[in-house]
Amino acid sequence: GGPARRDADTMDTFFDSSWYYLRYTDAHNERLPFARDKADYWMPVDQYIGGIEHAVLHLLYSRFFTKFFHDQKMVGVDEPFERLFTQGMVMGWTDYGPVEVEGERVRLSEEARIRLELETSELSLDEVKKMGAELREGGDGRLHFWKPAVMSKSLGNGVMVGPFVREQGADIARVTILFAAPPEKEMVWTEEGVQGAWRFLNRVWRRVVEDEEALRQAPEAFDPDRLDAAGKALYRKLNQTIKKVTEDVEGLRFNTAIAALMELLNALYDYRKEAGAGPVYKNAVLTYLQLLAPFAPHLAEELWHRFSENSVFEARWPTYDEAALTADTITLVVQVNGKVRARLEVPADIGKDEALARAKAHENVRRHIEGKQLVKEIYVPGKLVNLVAKG
């Protein structure tokens, strides 16, 4: 032998990962694992997010270690985590090899049966469909059995992050994953999903860049009570979206938050068809970039810097105007014998008697009930009037 240096770090990695969150509270302490006052300030962890594979071992070890430290008077809490969220896995379409098809029956290879953990190698076409699988023509001219499976190197069904980000950008990857499914569910990575994210973010880019000069020149102050109909509609949609995205982010419902942003983007495009880039529009666009930032941070930051020297992440998260969430007027559909005969703009708080009176007074409705006996008058508050007439 020769000179050697003793390695004191011989603990299994699970030992360190069972209490790292406590060390984070006092990472530079050279005398103790962590100081009690600092651990008590930060603990417990507000939100634990991890894969289902951590649900037994890591959570069990972490709880054991925390309870031990609690018994030793090293920390005040005896449970390490307040909330647990287990995210779904990213799936990729996987080729399980060629199959033989005879009529309505599909025969898989024995290798494919084992990999798919099936009891039989013969399936009906209906069973293939119910499994979420597809038969696709392969490069060898034969039909192959394709089914989503958790991305892995062994299956060769993954997406290389580096090349994808260089070609498409990290924001497209983020939006593709977050919009595809609720985060607790598994999601299937598809080219259609990638293209959908690409189209969405490019629409955001065009909307802001095309109006950039007008937005720079537009004043920021406006009175919500003095907006015209189009302005009020946009201001209401903006505040509804702020509320929706805020609540969805806090509830980890990222897919529905992005869906709300897509709806608001449509509203921005619709508004510009009939109005200029005035103060309410400028407010909506800048707020939009703030709401987009958690999902597409690079694009949001780039566009934000066209109007501000500071980062979008230094801006305060937008708050919504409670009074703007509900419309002053609603569209009341009027039917006669089940067929739509009119649409009325009426006050949102309209009562039944006034709604029926306005419906009967409409010229087209009068034409269809004139000389007939009204046998039934149906009113669905805020939505519908249906007049049933005979004769």
Side-chain angles (χ1 to χ4, degrees):
R5 182 170 61 87
R6 180 179 180 84
D7 183 2
D9 187 8
T10 59
M11 287 289 189
D12 192 287
T13 54
F14 89 84
F15 189 94
D16 295 325
S17 67
S18 298
W19 65 281
Y20 65 86
Y21 43 88
L22 285 162
R23 178 63 179 176
Y24 283 170
T25 67
D26 193 12
H28 300 290
N29 194 324
E30 297 181 359
R31 201 171 50 84
L32 297 169
F34 49 86
R36 166 77 187 253
D37 60 334
K38 291 186 177 180
D40 286 347
Y41 177 81
W42 289 105
M43 290 296 290
V45 175
D46 297 284
Q47 178 73 63
Y48 179 108
I49 300 177
I52 191 65
E53 69 276 10
H54 295 299
V56 178
L57 297 181
H58 185 254
L59 284 176
L60 180 66
Y61 299 151
S62 299
R63 295 184 67 214
F64 175 82
F65 271 64
T66 302
K67 289 178 182 296
F68 171 77
F69 288 136
H70 174 74
D71 290 346
Q72 298 301 311
K73 312 298 183 185
M74 295 174 68
V75 66
V77 299
D78 67 347
E79 288 286 353
F81 313 119
E82 284 203 332
R83 293 194 302 173
L84 168 66
F85 185 86
T86 302
Q87 83 273 21
M89 304 296 284
V90 180
M91 317 281 281
W93 280 98
T94 306
D95 184 359
Y96 286 89
V99 296
E100 296 178 10
V101 180
E102 295 181 5
E104 294 289 312
R105 305 299 297 176
V106 178
R107 183 177 295 111
L108 292 82
S109 67
E110 182 64 11
E111 179 188 354
R113 183 193 71 77
I114 294 172
R115 288 172 62 193
L116 289 162
E117 300 180 354
L118 299 175
E119 294 182 358
T120 176
S121 58
E122 284 202 17
L123 302 168
S124 68
L125 289 175
D126 189 52
E127 287 173 325
V128 171
K129 185 177 180 181
K130 287 180 179 178
M131 289 172 63
E134 295 180 1
L135 300 182
R136 303 178 183 176
E137 187 172 343
D140 56 3
R142 302 173 65 185
L143 287 176
H144 284 231
F145 189 94
W146 285 79
K147 186 177 183 296
V150 175
M151 285 187 177
S152 68
K153 288 182 179 179
S154 62
L155 292 177
N157 61 350
V159 175
M160 297 299 291
V161 175
F164 183 90
V165 169
R166 284 193 294 273
E167 181 181 341
Q168 301 278 10
D171 286 352
I172 289 180
R174 293 167 65 99
V175 171
T176 299
I177 293 172
L178 294 176
F179 182 61
E184 70 273 15
K185 304 290 185 182
E186 60 187 31
M187 62 84 62
V188 180
W189 182 277
T190 65
E191 184 59 28
E192 291 79 8
V194 173
Q195 291 304 312
W198 184 90
R199 287 191 298 270
F200 165 54
L201 294 182
N202 272 271
R203 288 191 76 217
V204 175
W205 175 269
R206 289 198 306 273
R207 183 69 281 148
V208 178
V209 171
E210 288 176 6
D211 286 334
E212 181 178 349
E213 193 55 40
L215 287 167
R216 288 179 186 275
Q217 297 177 7
E220 295 188 4
F222 65 93
D223 183 354
D225 295 329
R226 303 185 68 177
L227 294 171
D228 58 16
K232 285 185 177 181
L234 179 60
Y235 186 66
R236 180 169 59 253
K237 186 64 175 178
L238 171 64
N239 282 277
Q240 290 171 342
T241 306
I242 294 171
K243 183 175 188 293
K244 172 71 174 169
V245 172
T246 301
E247 293 174 351
D248 283 353
V249 167
E250 290 176 349
L252 304 181
R253 297 183 296 271
F254 305 126
N255 59 318
T256 53
I258 294 174
L261 287 172
M262 291 177 173
E263 290 182 13
L264 179 56
L265 183 61
N266 290 336
L268 291 173
Y269 271 87
D270 291 342
Y271 179 84
R272 284 294 280 124
K273 291 176 183 177
E274 53 182 290
V280 66
Y281 178 75
K282 181 175 184 176
N283 175 258
V285 169
L286 294 180
T287 303
Y288 190 94
L289 296 179
Q290 290 179 266
L291 298 175
L292 180 68
F295 312 104
H298 305 86
L299 177 67
E301 183 80 343
E302 167 68 24
L303 293 173
W304 181 265
H305 272 290
R306 292 169 181 251
F307 309 101
S308 173
E309 294 181 356
N310 299 319
S311 170
V312 67
F313 297 102
E314 294 177 343
R316 292 181 63 86
W317 184 256
T319 56
Y320 58 87
D321 179 358
E322 189 80 41
L325 295 177
T326 56
D328 298 329
T329 61
I330 57 172
T331 300
L332 193 65
V333 176
V334 182
Q335 297 178 337
V336 177
N337 294 334
K339 293 185 178 180
V340 177
R341 300 302 182 186
R343 298 180 191 275
L344 308 177
E345 286 295 316
V346 299
D349 58 353
I350 192 170
K352 178 179 179 179
D353 292 340
E354 185 179 355
L356 290 171
R358 290 199 185 195
K360 295 174 189 176
H362 190 276
E363 182 180 353
N364 192 42
V365 175
R366 281 207 318 270
R367 189 161 51 246
H368 285 86
I369 64 174
E370 201 167 14
K372 298 179 181 179
Q373 178 187 2
L374 288 178
V375 296
K376 201 168 188 180
E377 298 176 347
I378 302 169
Y379 176 60
V380 180
K383 295 182 179 179
L384 174 75
V385 168
N386 186 22
L387 304 175
V388 181
K390 282 188 178 181

